[in-house]
Amino acid sequence: MAAAFALILEDYRADFPAQLQHMPRAIHILLSACMKESRAVDVFNPDLIALPQGSNFIGGRRVIGRGQAIPVRRPSDGRVYADLDSVDDAQLGEAVEDAQRAYKSSGWAQTDPRGRMRVLRRWADLIEADMETLAPLEALGSTRMIHEIRAWDVSYTAETVRFFAEWADKIGGEVAATTPDKLGLTIHEPYGVVAAIAPWNLPLVMAAWKIAPAIAAGNSIVLKPSEMTPFSIVRLAELAIEAGLPAGIFNIVQGDGRSVGDPLVRRPEVAKVTFTGSTATGAAIMTACAQTGPKPVTLELGGKSPQIIFADAGLDKASAIVARAITLNAGQVCVAGSRLLVQEGVADQVIDCIMTAFAAHKAGPTWASDSTLGPIISEGQLDRIDGIVQRAVADGAQVLTGGSRATAPQDGSFFLPTLLQNAAQHSEAVQGEIFGPVLTVQTFTDEMEAYALANDSAYGLAAGVHTSDLTRALRATRTLEAGTVWVNRYGRSNDFILPTGGFKQSGIGKDLGREAYVANLKTKVALIEF
């Protein structure tokens, strides 16, 4: 019986997270318990994953960095599993110069658009076919669980490449309205060398958001992954060469932000910068681009996203969505729904549902089939999360569930799903991005109070609204100060046409959608007189 229930849950997870958010809570808990009973096995042995020499990718091949070695730990068990060979200053310069040379001489930007499209389609096919290499490599040192990577991350990465491939011949110039004796044209051209800095929380997916539109538009790119999750991205670059991408169009440099990230965005050859990460780092990058350019930037930064549950919502479904939105990737998602605003009168019922959902999670390593709560990326981040929670408690907040580190089979970095009540509106727990599985809960009496609480934040990345009133839902989408508003759901779908990006301190510009492709093109004007 348990094995049968486990198979059913796998079918739901294959379309994650859409199916799980609609599953009745009792069935979800039962199936999760069966998973724990029947599938407590390792999907792969982390000690047997081979890491080829050379963590950088320059000129179409792996290159061993000459910079300072950086120890890389597995957050699931705390073990140092590799020493990252970062680039030195000279190699960083070689990577950027190689990207500029490839942009000018490889013919990639001048290739007919459908030719670029065909290369990118082959690349996407190779990514999907490489599942058994990419998935364990991604799970090995990240916070992403192997079953989630297989069900979503790899295929989503491939689909991102396919989506932007299709834009290669869809954006042209325009003929302007001029006097009859003149011909005015607007012409779109690639920038040249694009510098990208990708985060650690979804390494493959976030890198694809940066790489795919830039390359599809005809640019070359130099990418710096996070030094905490550096390896799976290099495999992507190898597959790109196999697909036919010219050498030098996609280069990867490894290292930390101070020694590699900052000098990368300051290089004079870099014409545009795209970054996903913290608001503080985004501000530093924007400053560097102003000082050395100016050059355009796309920044997807921090979030402190509210989820509003009105009394007329389907409460079981809404509660499951809220719980999932803060425990996905252990809360280490920029759009994590970290503030619950629930209408008085239904708060107790919603809180009970969420606490039950939190209790059903099992912390465990990313390679274990029965893990449902992944690790925190580092001990430093774990200490930071714990500190925020403890300071909130000292300031009068109550921990309804969780509130401490979680135990797991290995000596990894785990934090229990946590529900905080009565945290002060001005407190760090309510206002700051925690980037962990910590949900604050506040109540409201009417609609306008809900929106006022939701908008009382320096961030504006995303928001969720749960209601059966269509008119109210439409008002919410107009009133909430967020780049994305989800109604009766929370989280992105596979609708790549919908751009993503935030307001206020959550960033500038958009990833995904037509907007991301156009952001990698500059506009030239031609005026021809007859």
Side-chain angles (χ1 to χ4, degrees):
M1 178 68 73
F5 278 138
L7 291 175
I8 295 170
L9 186 55
E10 275 304 291
D11 288 340
Y12 271 92
R13 280 180 171 155
D15 189 28
F16 129 89
Q19 296 284 10
L20 283 178
Q21 69 185 23
H22 298 301
M23 184 187 294
R25 180 169 54 87
I27 297 176
H28 187 190
I29 294 169
L30 174 62
L31 293 177
S32 295
C34 291
M35 287 288 290
K36 294 176 185 179
E37 173 190 339
S38 65
R39 301 184 66 247
V41 296
D42 287 348
V43 176
F44 67 92
N45 185 336
D47 297 324
L48 299 181
I49 303 298
L51 299 174
Q53 284 193 323
S55 304
N56 304 278
F57 200 84
I58 302 173
R61 61 186 179 86
R62 285 181 177 266
V63 174
I64 297 175
R66 299 190 296 261
Q68 183 176 2
I70 301 173
V72 187
R73 293 184 181 273
R74 298 192 302 228
S76 291
D77 61 8
R79 287 188 55 186
V80 173
Y81 71 101
D83 287 319
L84 178 64
D85 50 303
S86 60
V87 294
D88 62 12
D89 290 341
Q91 286 178 309
L92 176 61
E94 290 167 11
V96 176
E97 291 163 6
D98 185 70
Q100 186 179 50
R101 184 166 49 251
Y103 170 72
K104 291 181 176 180
S105 64
S106 70
W108 179 249
Q110 289 74 41
T111 298
D112 69 276
R114 295 194 69 80
R116 291 202 300 272
M117 182 190 301
R118 285 189 289 272
V119 171
L120 291 172
R121 283 174 170 172
R122 286 196 295 270
W123 187 18
D125 291 343
L126 290 171
I127 291 169
E128 281 189 328
D130 204 51
M131 174 78 74
E132 292 310 309
T133 298
L134 279 171
L137 190 60
E138 179 87 333
L140 175 66
S142 77
T143 59
R144 299 293 295 145
M145 290 179 286
I146 182 65
H147 57 79
E148 292 179 335
I149 296 169
R150 285 177 167 172
W152 190 72
D153 297 46
V154 173
S155 60
Y156 187 95
T157 298
E159 281 298 301
T160 301
V161 174
R162 287 195 186 99
F163 173 81
F164 285 110
E166 295 297 330
W167 282 103
D169 68 346
K170 304 301 187 296
I171 301 293
E174 294 180 355
V175 177
T178 61
T179 57
D181 60 336
K182 301 180 183 68
L183 179 63
L185 303 174
T186 59
I187 304 166
H188 295 300
E189 297 180 348
Y191 277 100
V193 180
V194 174
I197 300 178
W200 50 260
N201 56 334
L202 292 102
L204 286 172
V205 169
M206 294 290 98
W209 285 14
K210 308 299 184 187
I211 301 162
I215 291 178
N219 299 280
S220 62
I221 192 163
V222 181
L223 172 74
K224 190 199 89 66
S226 169
E227 64 274 20
M228 292 188 282
T229 54
F231 299 116
S232 58
I233 312 302
V234 185
R235 181 60 182 160
L236 277 191
E238 290 180 322
L239 295 173
I241 295 295
E242 187 177 338
L245 191 71
I249 293 297
F250 179 17
N251 290 339
I252 296 172
V253 291
Q254 304 281 7
D256 61 25
R258 180 186 56 81
S259 61
V260 177
D262 182 66
L264 170 61
V265 302
R266 291 177 180 273
R267 292 284 305 193
E269 302 93 338
V270 169
K272 181 187 185 296
V273 173
T274 176
F275 167 77
T276 295
S278 73
T279 297
T281 302
I285 287 173
M286 197 169 183
T287 299
C289 289
Q291 292 173 343
T292 58
K295 55 190 77 168
V297 295
T298 298
L299 304 174
E300 189 193 329
L301 307 178
K304 191 66 179 177
S305 301
Q307 299 194 75
I308 306 172
I309 297 182
F310 289 97
D312 65 348
L315 297 183
D316 281 358
K317 174 187 171 183
S319 301
I321 292 173
V322 168
R324 177 66 175 168
I326 193 60
T327 54
L328 175 65
N329 205 28
Q332 297 165 114
V333 184
C334 55
V335 296
S338 55
R339 289 187 293 148
L340 170 61
L341 308 176
V342 58
Q343 194 160 22
E344 290 179 358
V346 298
D348 289 345
Q349 181 180 344
V350 168
I351 287 170
D352 286 346
C353 289
I354 291 172
M355 289 173 62
T356 301
F358 280 6
H361 278 288
K362 179 179 179 180
T366 57
W367 49 82
S369 62
D370 64 333
S371 298
T372 63
L373 182 72
I376 304 301
I377 188 62
S378 68
E379 276 294 313
Q381 175 63 7
L382 182 65
D383 289 341
R384 179 180 172 276
I385 295 167
D386 188 53
I388 292 172
V389 171
Q390 300 314 317
R391 287 191 292 276
V393 171
D395 199 33
Q398 289 89 48
V399 174
L400 300 182
T401 187
S404 63
R405 297 166 186 250
T407 58
Q410 279 85 5
D411 188 22
S413 304
F414 297 88
F415 199 83
L416 289 171
T418 297
L419 194 59
L420 279 178
Q421 191 174 43
N422 294 328
Q425 179 66 17
H426 66 272
S427 69
E428 183 181 13
V430 173
Q431 295 292 336
E433 185 178 40
I434 299 176
F435 226 63
V438 179
L439 179 66
T440 62
V441 56
Q442 298 168 281
T443 59
F444 63 88
T445 56
D446 58 36
E447 193 173 323
M448 290 303 106
E449 183 185 6
Y451 301 150
L453 287 170
N455 291 334
D456 183 18
S457 171
Y459 297 105
L461 191 55
V465 178
H466 304 272
T467 179
S468 61
D469 185 332
L470 178 59
T471 303
R472 174 183 286 145
L474 293 174
R475 275 197 304 271
T477 62
R478 294 282 190 178
T479 308
L480 291 170
E481 298 169 355
T484 298
V485 178
W486 289 297
V487 178
N488 296 329
R489 63 168 289 125
Y490 197 93
R492 297 186 180 98
S493 65
N494 287 354
D495 299 301
F496 295 90
I497 193 62
L498 295 171
T500 182
F503 300 161
K504 300 190 281 191
Q505 291 189 21
S506 290
I508 296 174
K510 300 292 184 180
D511 288 315
L512 297 181
R514 177 184 186 275
E515 289 82 349
Y517 183 83
V518 172
N520 284 279
L521 296 168
K522 58 189 177 184
T523 301
K524 177 184 286 183
V525 172
L527 185 62
I528 303 169
E529 188 165 339
F530 301 128

